[in-house]
Amino acid sequence: RAGGPVVFVLVGEDRVERRSVTTGGFYPAGVEVSAGLAAGEYIIVRGHADLVDGAVVRVTEADGALPERGVAAAPGVAAEGAL
């Protein structure tokens, strides 16, 4: 992607923010992000191809279930595309 690597970070309960990141190592389980994210932030890992900054999303667990309100989701939090 032009301008370097970016991710979409969940802001609030249902919006995303496009953010530039610095990557480190590449591993079988994923890519290390060495700068641009804070501990505890959620990134969109599925359904992000058509997202734009500020898009409204529906957050689900990796298995498609909706996470319990107020409970931290397991790794694999995803967006089901822009709503």
Side-chain angles (χ1 to χ4, degrees), residues 35-36 68:
E68 260 185 76

Side-chain angles (χ1 to χ4, degrees), residues 10 12-13 39-43 59-63 65-78:
L10 185 64
E13 293 186 12
E41 288 188 308
Y42 290 107
I43 63 168
V59 177
T60 63
E61 298 285 352
D63 64 3
L66 293 174
E68 260 185 76
R69 189 174 177 87
V71 175
V77 173

Side-chain angles (χ1 to χ4, degrees), residues 1-78:
R1 214 178 244 224
V6 298
V7 296
F8 285 94
V9 178
L10 185 64
V11 178
E13 293 186 12
D14 65 354
R15 294 210 179 260
V16 295
E17 172 184 281
R18 184 176 188 265
R19 191 173 308 162
S20 295
V21 295
T22 303
T23 56
F26 290 79
Y27 305 96
V31 177
E32 174 186 17
V33 175
S34 57
L37 292 175
E41 288 188 308
Y42 290 107
I43 63 168
I44 307 307
V45 297
R46 194 173 60 230
H48 51 75
D50 296 323
L51 286 179
V52 295
D53 196 31
V56 175
V57 297
R58 183 171 68 122
V59 177
T60 63
E61 298 285 352
D63 64 3
L66 293 174
E68 260 185 76
R69 189 174 177 87
V71 175
V77 173

